[in-house]
Amino acid sequence: MQIDGARFLKDLHDLRAIGASGIAKGVVRPAYSAADIAAREWLADRMRDAGLDVRFDPAGNLWGIAKGKSLLVGSHSDTQPEGGWLDGALGVVMGLELARAAQEAGGPAVSVVSFQDEEGRFGVTTGSAIWSGSLSLDHADTLTDSAGTSFATARAAMSHLIGDFVDPAQFSGFVECHIEQGPWLDEAGQSIGVVTDIVGIRDMRVTFEGEQNHAGTTPMHRRRDAFQALSAFNTALNDRLRNVVTPQSVWTIGHVSLHPGAHSIVPGKVVFSMQWRDGDTARLTRMETVIRETAADVADATGMRLSFSEMLGLEPVAMDAQLRKALAQAAQQIAPDRWREMQSGALHDATNVAALMPAAMMFAPSINGISHTFYEDTHEADLLCGLNVLAAALPALAKAGGGS
Ligand code: HGY
Ligand code: MN
Ligand code: MN
């Protein structure tokens, strides 16, 4: 089987041009945006050129399906509101090159997927969660993004493309290649990470409601200022979580909406995202308890009404031992002493797919450990190394799941 590194890099750059931010190699292609849909249509054409059967499912996941039992390779092509060019795209385009080379060589059979809304405009890895059955389409339709748009409204933008769900039984296993999005491979000068397990996540919105009033005439002691409550919550939370977490635990308030958001108004309401991640389910639950109790205590002390949205989440998941071994052996062959086994601190579609079939992941290094920004990048040599490792592993990966 002959993979074509130049063709693979050209596809990555062509895809980057769809929704290019104009800053560094950044991309703005949030799920269901015009750029996201254009990118999916472009990918669909490349899949057709490769001889794959192209399908879009009701969630907007894009499939390029090979005949017979096949190994599924892919990731996602939506991005964060300010995203990099490789987060997700790398795994999809690697799958495309692998499928194309395999078709040209007459096997093994490789299918490609680009899952929809991995970046969680509407929750957490929405498209693969729907396909894997952990989130029903009806339930997903009720979810809203930070601007209040519903999932049902957003996915209607793809209604001219979508068909039925794809049967998972035709796939022998799933392999997702991704950038590491953290510093470890880059710091060690290594080219490949073989993922052992993916951490779990919890995500929700918290609302404090106080009293909106005039910023000039309202004495400080009479205010019920929602921003002050958020500030007190954040300080108290960082302090209280200290007894519960490990150095691997993380928590983030990444989106804050202050109402009404004017210089001269004491804000009466704040809605903010609260997300936390850890490799241990019990610790995720202990963190949840601390978060809810701290919010309640701060609400009491500051005269706020407190409410929580529905909490979404994914459990920590181990990668399949056989597929992992195939990737590790290929890494040792192609990049001896330049690879390691490691945990994934980022979430991935592989978490959901692992509920349906054996699943594994491989990482390429992120320069300076930077991702979820326009400045995310990876050296070309490392991108090609990843492609070569995956190609070398393909016979064993396909065999591991009984593929053809
Ligand atoms: O947030 C994540 O871990 C993933 O990049 N969506
Ligand atoms: Mn990603
Ligand atoms: Mn991401």
Side-chain angles (χ1 to χ4, degrees), residues 1-5 7-8 71 73 90-91 93-103 105 107-110 175-177 192 323 326-331 333-335 362 382-399:
M1 194 180 95
Q2 209 53 45
I3 47 161
D4 185 334
R7 183 169 66 174
F8 157 72
L71 179 74
V73 183
L90 177 63
V93 173
M94 228 182 243
L96 178 63
E97 177 53 30
L98 213 63
R100 201 158 40 193
Q103 289 271 357
V110 175
V175 179
E176 180 170 7
C177 297
I192 299 288
L323 296 184
L327 290 172
Q329 283 175 343
Q333 177 199 329
I334 304 288
M362 194 184 82
D382 287 325
L383 298 175
L384 291 169
C385 181
L387 177 65
N388 287 326
V389 168
L390 191 59
L394 182 57
L397 291 170
K399 208 168 136 204

Side-chain angles (χ1 to χ4, degrees), residues 76 80 87 118-119 178 181 371-372:
H76 62 98
Q80 288 286 332
D87 178 355
E118 192 278 345
E119 295 292 9
H178 206 280
Q181 309 183 278
S371 186
H372 284 188

Side-chain angles (χ1 to χ4, degrees), residues 49 80 163 182 194 204 206 254 266 270 299 319 348 365 395:
D49 293 347
Q80 288 286 332
V194 176
M204 64 183 179
V206 184
V266 176
V270 63
M319 297 290 91
H348 296 290

